[in-house]
């Protein structure tokens, strides 16, 4: 059920963002699933999303070899989410303070409520997720840029260097956008899930 | 409180921040090298003109060779295509700053049909599908290029047909 919902969400956002090269929420969603529900479900979302998005895509269909590299690269997000959730840093960062009841009842303007919520944000949490997201995206880009040139160059080394130089503008867009998504969307969803009692941490399974 | 949290996990933060700095340095260098190697033609050829042959294969048996002897050497292949044909394209801004050509002279990409971009590799005298878009092709290296409207079931260019039927094709130049 979780895999189906998050795969649908990933596909919907991927197609909605089709006009923006390498700017996708999918990676953040795979990370969130693995952080909250474990690596198996994260990989499930990564594989099922790419099986659809790689084969039904207005920009062209991926061949089986490049598709397998894309799936493998997407699993980096699942692994990083699962690993972070098991570290003491990840567990402490997913702890949340109870909501201030006055937020819901007090007669304040929307902007004042928003400002109060922004003040309550945890910049350390955003920093950690942004750094982890940047590193996982870097790994993904190195692997997939290399794979794009695997059969078009005369050596593996050449494929790695040429792929990553020619793919540099795409990597920059991908890593920049993912750093922003990981710093904003991932902590927001994880904190909301924790408050609703969803996920491993919320149920205290890892204690 | 926050500084306390960071000082409790010094090793984690030291490693992740250091690794992130390496990522930024590596990616910044790669992007700089890409921009540098992709920049317009160097000073000696500024202001000069070159001869470029362009083949447009519409995929229905109709082909057209367009030879131009007065192409400014600082143009890229998108500029030339835009000059000699009626192009429909989607522009992607920075950092890629390039055009996705979706139609030439009214023939639009449709389903699996799209405009593939080819050039002649001088070394092996054979056609090769280019690794970069039209904006990234300058005339210091290539002088014979082609647009070929064809259907492809895969993004793997080694499976595509060359723009001239029966002509030699290579995957690396």
């Amino acid at each position: 059920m979780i895999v189906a919902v998050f795969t649908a969400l990933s596909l919907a956002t991927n197609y909605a963002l089709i006009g923006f090269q390498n700017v996708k929420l999918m990676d953040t969603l795979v990370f969130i699933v693995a952080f909250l529900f474990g690596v198996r479900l994260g990989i499930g979302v990564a594989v099922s999303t790419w099986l659809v998005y790689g084969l039904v895509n207005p920009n062209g269909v991926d061949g089986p070899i490049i598709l397998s590299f894309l799936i493998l690269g997407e699993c980096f997000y699942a692994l990083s989410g699962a690993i972070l959730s098991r570290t003491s840093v990840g567990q402490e960062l997913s702890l949340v303070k109870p909501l201030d009841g006055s937020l819901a009842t007090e007669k304040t303007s929307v902007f004042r409520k928003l400002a109060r919520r922004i003040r309550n944000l945890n910049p350390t949490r955003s920093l950690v997720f942004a750094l982890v997201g940047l590193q996982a995206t870097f790994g993904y880009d190195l692997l997939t840029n290399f794979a794009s040139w695997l059969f078009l160059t005369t050596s593996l080394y050449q494929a790695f260097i040429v792929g990553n130089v020619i793919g540099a503008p795409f990597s920059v867009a991908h890593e920049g956008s993912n750093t922003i998504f990981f710093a904003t969307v991932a902590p927001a969803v994880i904190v909301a899930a924790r408050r609703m009692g969803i996920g491993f941490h919320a149920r205290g399974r890892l204690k | 409180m926050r500084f306390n949290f960071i000082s409790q996990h010094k090793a984690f933060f030291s490693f992740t921040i250091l690794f992130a700095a390496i990522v930024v340095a590596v990616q910044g260098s790669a992007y700089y090298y890409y921009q540098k190697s992709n920049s317009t033609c160097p000073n000696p050829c500024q202001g000069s003109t070159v001869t470029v042959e362009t083949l447009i294969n519409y995929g229905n048996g109709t082909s057209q060779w367009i030879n131009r002897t007065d192409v400014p050497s600082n143009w890229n292949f998108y500029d030339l295509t835009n000059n000699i044909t009626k192009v429909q394209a989607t522009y992607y801004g920075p950092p890629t700053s390039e055009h996705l050509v979706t139609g030439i002279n009214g023939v639009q990409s449709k389903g699996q049909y799209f405009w593939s971009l080819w050039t002649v590799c001088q070394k092996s005298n054979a056609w090769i599908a280019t690794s970069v878009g039209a904006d990234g092709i300058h005339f210091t290296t290539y002088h014979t290029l082609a647009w070929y409207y064809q259907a492809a079931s895969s993004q793997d260019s080694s499976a595509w047909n060359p723009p001239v039927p029966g002509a030699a094709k290579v995957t690396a130049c």
Side-chain angles (χ1 to χ4, degrees):
Chain A
M1 178 68 175
I2 288 163
V3 172
V5 168
F6 275 88
T7 300
L9 201 54
S10 298
L11 287 171
T13 53
N14 278 1
Y15 290 122
L17 291 165
I18 200 82
F20 300 90
Q21 284 182 328
N22 278 21
V23 178
K24 300 282 175 282
L25 263 174
M26 164 175 64
D27 306 335
T28 316
L29 293 170
V30 169
F31 172 87
I32 290 168
V33 172
F35 189 94
L36 290 172
F37 305 107
V39 71
R40 280 174 54 197
L41 294 190
I43 289 175
V45 175
V47 174
S48 22
T49 304
W50 266 114
L51 283 178
V52 179
Y53 189 61
L55 299 174
V56 185
N57 193 314
N59 289 333
V61 176
D62 295 312
I65 294 167
I66 188 81
L67 186 60
S68 43
F69 275 98
L70 289 165
I71 290 172
L72 182 65
E74 197 64 35
C75 291
F76 288 175
Y77 300 105
L79 285 175
S80 58
I83 291 169
L84 183 65
S85 75
R86 277 165 169 72
T87 62
S88 57
V89 175
Q91 289 182 22
E92 283 178 47
L93 286 177
S94 61
L95 297 174
V96 287
K97 285 183 281 185
L99 265 180
D100 183 359
S102 62
L103 269 178
T105 53
E106 214 175 79
K107 281 186 180 173
T108 50
S109 72
V110 175
F111 292 110
R112 207 169 282 176
K113 279 182 189 173
L114 189 65
R116 190 177 295 179
R117 279 189 187 274
I118 289 169
R119 276 200 301 276
N120 285 341
L121 284 176
N122 182 344
T124 314
R125 186 187 288 137
S126 293
L127 174 71
V128 169
F129 286 136
L131 291 173
V132 172
L134 173 67
Q135 289 160 23
T137 312
F138 181 64
Y140 173 94
D141 288 335
L142 286 185
L143 181 75
T144 52
N145 284 337
F146 162 72
S148 307
W149 284 81
L150 197 53
F151 300 109
L152 300 176
T153 47
T154 49
S155 72
L156 295 179
Y157 172 74
Q158 205 181 15
F160 185 79
I161 297 296
V162 172
N164 280 292
V165 169
I166 289 177
F170 298 96
S171 302
V172 168
H174 193 206
E175 284 156 28
S177 60
N178 267 11
T179 302
I180 294 168
F181 288 146
F182 273 75
T184 53
V185 178
V189 174
I190 286 165
V191 167
R194 165 86 175 156
R195 284 197 174 124
M196 288 189 285
I198 300 170
F200 277 3
H201 289 300
R203 289 198 292 269
R205 281 195 198 174
L206 289 174
K207 285 179 183 171
Chain B
M1 179 71 179
R2 278 163 196 157
F3 289 111
N4 204 14
F5 178 78
I6 292 172
S7 63
Q8 278 171 3
H9 302 282
K10 266 186 212 156
F12 176 86
F13 280 95
S14 306
F15 175 77
T16 47
I17 291 172
L18 179 69
F19 192 72
I22 294 170
V23 169
V24 171
V26 169
Q27 208 55 265
S29 308
Y31 185 65
Y32 172 76
Y33 186 78
Y34 171 84
Q35 290 287 16
K36 205 177 152 200
S37 60
N38 220 14
S39 62
T40 52
C41 157
N43 275 335
C45 75
Q46 292 284 353
S48 59
T49 56
V50 288
T51 299
V52 183
E53 298 172 298
T54 307
L55 169 66
I56 297 173
N57 185 336
Y58 293 91
N60 58 359
T62 311
S63 290
Q64 179 186 13
W65 276 101
I66 303 168
N67 298 331
R68 285 280 302 267
T69 55
D70 56 348
V71 179
S73 53
N74 59 350
W75 275 18
N76 60 42
F77 190 52
Y78 179 78
D79 296 327
L80 177 63
T81 307
N82 202 21
N83 187 267
I84 59 178
T85 64
K86 194 179 167 198
V87 178
Q88 289 86 45
T90 310
Y91 178 67
Y92 293 96
T96 51
S97 301
E98 61 183 19
H99 296 84
L100 172 66
V101 172
T102 54
I104 293 178
N105 290 336
V107 180
Q108 295 275 357
S109 299
K110 194 176 176 185
Q112 289 190 324
Y113 281 84
F114 72 105
W115 283 100
S116 59
L117 180 50
W118 295 79
T119 186
V120 169
C121 172
Q122 307 278 359
K123 207 162 65 179
S124 48
N125 200 24
W127 288 98
I128 180 170
T130 65
S131 53
V132 292
D135 302 81
I137 294 175
H138 298 280
F139 305 118
T140 43
T141 320
Y142 302 115
H143 300 279
T144 305
L145 296 117
W147 285 106
Y148 182 21
Y149 187 71
Q150 64 176 311
S153 56
S154 151
Q155 286 187 348
D156 179 7
S157 59
S158 60
W160 301 349
N161 296 318
V164 176
K169 180 184 83 167
V170 287
T171 53
C173 187

